[in-house]
Amino acid sequence: MSEPLLDVRGVETFYGNIQALHGVDLTINKGEIVTLIGANGAGKSTLLMTICGTPRARSGTIRFEGEDITNAETFTIVRRGIAQSPEGRRIFPKMTVLENLQLGAITAPEARFQDNLDAAFTLFPRLAERRTQRGGTLSGGEQQMLAIARALMSDPKLLLLDEPSLGLAPIIVRQIFDAIRTINQQRGMTVFLVEQNAFHALRLAHRGYVMVNGVITLSGSGQDLLSNPEVRAAYLEGGH
Amino acid sequence: MSGQATLKEAGLTALLSMVLALPLIGLETVEEQGGLTLDTRLLWVLLIGAAVFAGRLGLIAWRSRKTVGTSTAAARRASALGETMHGIMPWIAGAAILFAVIMPFLPFANRTVVDLATLVLIYVMLGWGLNIVVGLAGLLDLGYVAFYAIGAYSFAMLAMHADFTFWMALPFAGLFACAFGVILGFPVLRLRGDYLAIVTLGFGEMIRIILLNWYHVTGGPDGISGIPRPGLFGLEFTRNGDPAFHEFFGLEYSSMYRLMFLYYLILILALITNWVTLRLRRLPIGRAWEALREDEIASRALGLNPTAVKLSAFAIGAMFGGFAGAFFATRQGFISPESFTFIESAIILAIVVLGGMGSQVGVVIAAVIMIGLPEWFRELQEYRMLLFGAGMVVIMVLRPRGLLSKRNPTIRLHAKKAGAMR
């Protein structure tokens, strides 16, 4: 394998004086689905946000396609091809579905808009039905679909997803995860998935990392982690 | 609300108003030999208490009637009303523009009416300009009048020192205001909400104080007088103009022509402001403004540069303020720092907020209410401000989110063919 798409080395992030990440190493190769699992407050979202440049890493390096983006501005990082569906979805509630998608495409060349829009509606037909509806009137699952579709509108090379299953019914979670698998398999989209729902995430992912208190404690293929007794005990026992 | 609670609330409100009214209305100074004496008017205080009591009862009754139906039904009614409004809005706007165009030729249009309409249109234009900053980009600007002042002084000084005509100076007035918008915006746009509001407030005052004290350049409190009037392609609106408008068209001289010309001038300027705003809203830049207003974090995650987006809104809003300022200077013929006090900023902001943030038609209605009505009812003297206050209260009770607060999507159904990004 050549150079990884995203290479995180020894990243330490602080909120004021509180250290949230303690030297995190993580790589994502092109075409992979990589998941990061861990308990609430482990630092998963912090790592995802650090990749995007808010907050900045205090030490360590983040390289995307071989280039150092550790100290780049958030909007330039996004323009290099890292799109994210942020925690809590953060769609624009007063704008229609179509307007939300247009905003997702704001950094992409205009000629690609129609193709990307068609692709988004094929992936989530529900959004096509509701294209003129305001974002705030969608159900939670539809809002999550919209957040992912909006991120995909910028033609990213790497898609970051922060807890897409949060607060959704199991059947919707399955739909969302199926969609993630589809975009990975059909378009070769590289996906970095931050999840608390360890079981679904590990089954979907090629590789996974486990984070505890700002440190990566385990890594391996999705299957290995699923059968790892420590992971089972900490994240999977007690049904899903 | 139970009957007892209703009575209690109304009684409490009445009591409060009577406490307030006691010194304000209950005491009267009477001139007698040897000085002033105090007279009491307790009956007035009682009357005010009774009026407030009745008014509060009425308000409570009105509110409970509204909440009797389930809130979803009410919301559906409201949204149905919104949809209807949405459908007929282009017609209303078209009719309003048509009316504005033929208005000076209608029988009731005398000097006062045309002059007042010109004044209202200045505020409509300022409201539309500020609407870009406050309504679309969501940046609370309390110093908008500074850009208005910069536009006015730019034109006045260019005319005084470089013999610029109105038409030559107009682009520069907009440009200077725009440049000041960028200069102010660059350092302060990282601030948000209240902090931004305070800095812009300070900026507005700074500009006014500079104009007041930089005596040898701005004339200080004396202002600048003798600002040239605008002409129509070189035709002057004076009796002995060379060439004069009335002679060129073979008409009798009348000073009315100039008033009408000024009226059409501001009408066109305002409509250009509106047109540009509506176009910008449909472009990615306009959508970026709205996105930033809704959610700054999400906007950054989509690759928007917040500083650049805010700066563009600030600069474009300032530019229209500058144009309006140049018009104001040429209409008045005289400007002084007194025309650009904080109260002007407050009035323009009130027009935007009352109109419903981001609503173009709302701004027009609010400008008519805020500027037109108080001028129109000048005969009522001090009572007009009382009515004005009452009107504001009514609007806040009935339409707390502005007169027209429904946001129209920038794209409609079937907009796909017309190029969805346009």
Side-chain angles (χ1 to χ4, degrees), chain A residues 54 75 79 90 99 102 134, chain B residues 287 295 300 303 410 420:
Chain A
T54 30
F75 64 90
R79 279 160 198 246
R90 287 192 177 269
E99 285 174 317
Q102 284 183 322
R134 275 158 221 272
Chain B
R287 211 166 287 124
D295 191 333
R300 285 226 303 249
T410 55

Side-chain angles (χ1 to χ4, degrees), chain B residues 262-276:
Chain B
L262 285 171
Y263 171 80
Y264 281 119
L265 185 58
I266 186 67
L267 181 63
I268 289 167
L269 285 174
L271 287 177
I272 289 173
T273 310
N274 182 35
W275 182 77
V276 170

Side-chain angles (χ1 to χ4, degrees), chain A residues 2-215:
Chain A
S2 60
E3 194 172 27
L5 185 65
L6 185 82
D7 190 19
V8 177
R9 283 278 155 258
V11 162
E12 310 213 321
T13 303
F14 290 74
Y15 289 115
N17 288 324
I18 298 161
Q19 188 165 7
L21 298 180
H22 300 263
V24 173
D25 295 331
L26 181 145
T27 55
I28 299 169
N29 298 309
K30 211 166 176 344
E32 275 187 320
I33 300 180
V34 175
T35 186
L36 176 65
I37 60 172
N40 237 343
K44 306 185 299 292
S45 293
T46 304
L47 177 60
L48 188 136
M49 294 307 290
T50 305
I51 293 171
C52 290
T54 30
R56 299 257 172 80
R58 195 173 285 184
S59 61
T61 55
I62 302 168
R63 288 173 171 278
F64 181 65
E65 295 185 306
E67 285 184 54
D68 193 344
I69 58 165
T70 322
N71 290 312
E73 293 274 357
T74 300
F75 64 90
T76 60
I77 293 173
V78 173
R79 279 160 198 246
R80 281 167 190 264
I82 300 182
Q84 65 155 317
S85 152
E87 187 175 16
R89 308 189 268 267
R90 287 192 177 269
I91 56 155
F92 300 106
K94 286 185 194 161
M95 300 194 186
T96 64
V97 168
L98 204 49
E99 285 174 317
N100 268 280
L101 294 175
Q102 284 183 322
L103 275 164
I106 208 151
T107 60
E110 208 183 310
R112 297 276 303 129
F113 179 76
Q114 198 57 51
D115 287 349
N116 284 336
L117 189 69
D118 292 341
F121 286 160
T122 316
L123 189 65
F124 299 115
R126 198 86 77 84
L127 294 182
E129 290 167 30
R130 303 191 184 276
R131 67 174 78 183
T132 57
Q133 208 169 311
R134 275 158 221 272
T137 65
L138 300 179
S139 73
E142 288 162 350
Q143 290 190 6
Q144 185 59 57
M145 292 174 192
L146 180 56
I148 296 174
R150 185 179 65 179
L152 286 171
M153 289 301 287
S154 66
D155 262 340
K157 294 167 186 154
L158 171 63
L159 176 64
L160 308 179
L161 300 174
D162 198 347
E163 304 229 17
S165 74
L166 194 69
L168 300 183
I171 185 160
I172 307 288
V173 173
R174 197 160 304 136
Q175 280 178 24
I176 300 272
F177 278 60
D178 284 346
I180 297 171
R181 180 175 285 124
T182 308
I183 48 181
N184 174 255
Q185 287 176 353
Q186 291 183 358
R187 298 194 222 166
M189 180 69 65
T190 313
V191 180
F192 181 49
L193 173 66
V194 165
E195 257 303 339
Q196 280 200 60
N197 191 333
F199 176 71
H200 274 106
L202 289 174
R203 281 217 321 188
L204 175 71
H206 299 108
R207 290 190 302 117
Y209 292 84
V210 179
M211 182 178 267
V212 179
N213 291 332
V215 182

Side-chain angles (χ1 to χ4, degrees), chain B residues 127-418:
Chain B
W128 278 339
L130 185 62
N131 210 0
I132 296 174
V133 183
V134 178
L136 290 182
L139 304 167
L140 188 51
D141 183 354
L142 291 180
Y144 192 63
V145 76
F147 305 119
Y148 187 43
I150 288 166
Y153 271 86
S154 304
F155 168 50
M157 288 200 274
L158 282 172
M160 290 292 111
H161 302 301
D163 274 335
F164 272 46
T165 66
F166 173 74
W167 294 106
M168 283 154 71
L170 187 63
F172 288 99
L175 212 63
F176 286 149
C178 185
F180 271 91
V182 172
I183 291 169
L184 167 70
F186 209 69
V188 307
L189 282 177
R190 62 191 68 238
L191 303 174
R192 276 178 223 187
D194 316 354
Y195 300 100
L196 178 68
I198 289 170
V199 174
T200 54
L201 175 76
F203 178 72
E205 285 301 285
M206 264 165 57
I207 294 291
R208 188 177 64 83
I209 289 168
I210 289 172
L211 293 176
L212 199 59
N213 290 294
W214 201 6
Y215 190 83
H216 61 279
V217 176
T218 63
D222 304 342
I224 300 177
S225 57
I227 300 168
R229 304 293 189 165
L232 178 71
F233 300 113
L235 299 176
E236 291 175 20
F237 289 88
T238 50
R239 189 181 291 278
N240 305 314
D242 181 30
F245 175 82
H246 60 282
E247 280 171 5
F248 188 82
F249 287 99
L251 298 164
E252 279 291 298
Y253 173 75
S254 160
S255 60
M256 184 73 184
Y257 294 140
R258 191 177 69 211
L259 285 180
M260 280 166 67
F261 174 65
L262 285 171
Y263 171 80
Y264 281 119
L265 185 58
I266 186 67
L267 181 63
I268 289 167
L269 285 174
L271 287 177
I272 289 173
T273 310
N274 182 35
W275 182 77
V276 170
T277 310
L278 291 179
R279 294 294 303 172
L280 285 173
R281 249 199 88 196
R282 285 176 169 75
L283 290 174
I285 180 71
R287 211 166 287 124
W289 290 339
E290 290 197 81
L292 210 66
R293 178 193 67 198
E294 300 275 306
D295 191 333
E296 181 162 342
I297 293 174
S299 305
R300 285 226 303 249
L302 295 176
L304 293 175
N305 178 352
T307 316
V309 172
K310 286 180 186 174
L311 211 53
S312 63
F314 223 66
I316 292 175
M319 183 182 73
F320 287 119
F323 288 146
F327 175 82
F328 175 76
T330 198
R331 170 181 181 256
Q332 301 291 105
F334 165 76
I335 51 171
S336 76
E338 237 164 73
S339 309
F340 308 106
T341 51
F342 170 68
I343 192 72
E344 292 296 314
S345 288
I347 288 173
I348 302 163
L349 186 66
I351 286 172
V352 173
V353 173
L354 282 180
M357 308 255 267
S359 165
Q360 298 291 92
V361 179
V363 164
V364 179
I365 299 171
V368 170
I369 293 174
M370 294 278 299
I371 307 297
L373 292 189
E375 289 292 323
W376 193 246
F377 292 111
R378 211 166 252 287
E379 298 98 86
L380 295 176
Q381 294 172 359
E382 59 259 47
Y383 293 105
R384 74 199 170 102
M385 293 320 280
L386 203 65
L387 286 176
F388 181 73
M392 297 277 268
V393 171
V394 167
I395 288 174
M396 285 302 139
V397 170
L398 297 182
R399 314 275 326 186
R401 303 181 61 193
L403 291 169
L404 298 171
S405 56
K406 189 176 184 300
R407 178 187 175 277
N408 288 328
T410 55
I411 29 171
R412 309 261 158 79
L413 271 170
H414 315 301
K416 235 167 91 178
K417 282 185 219 95

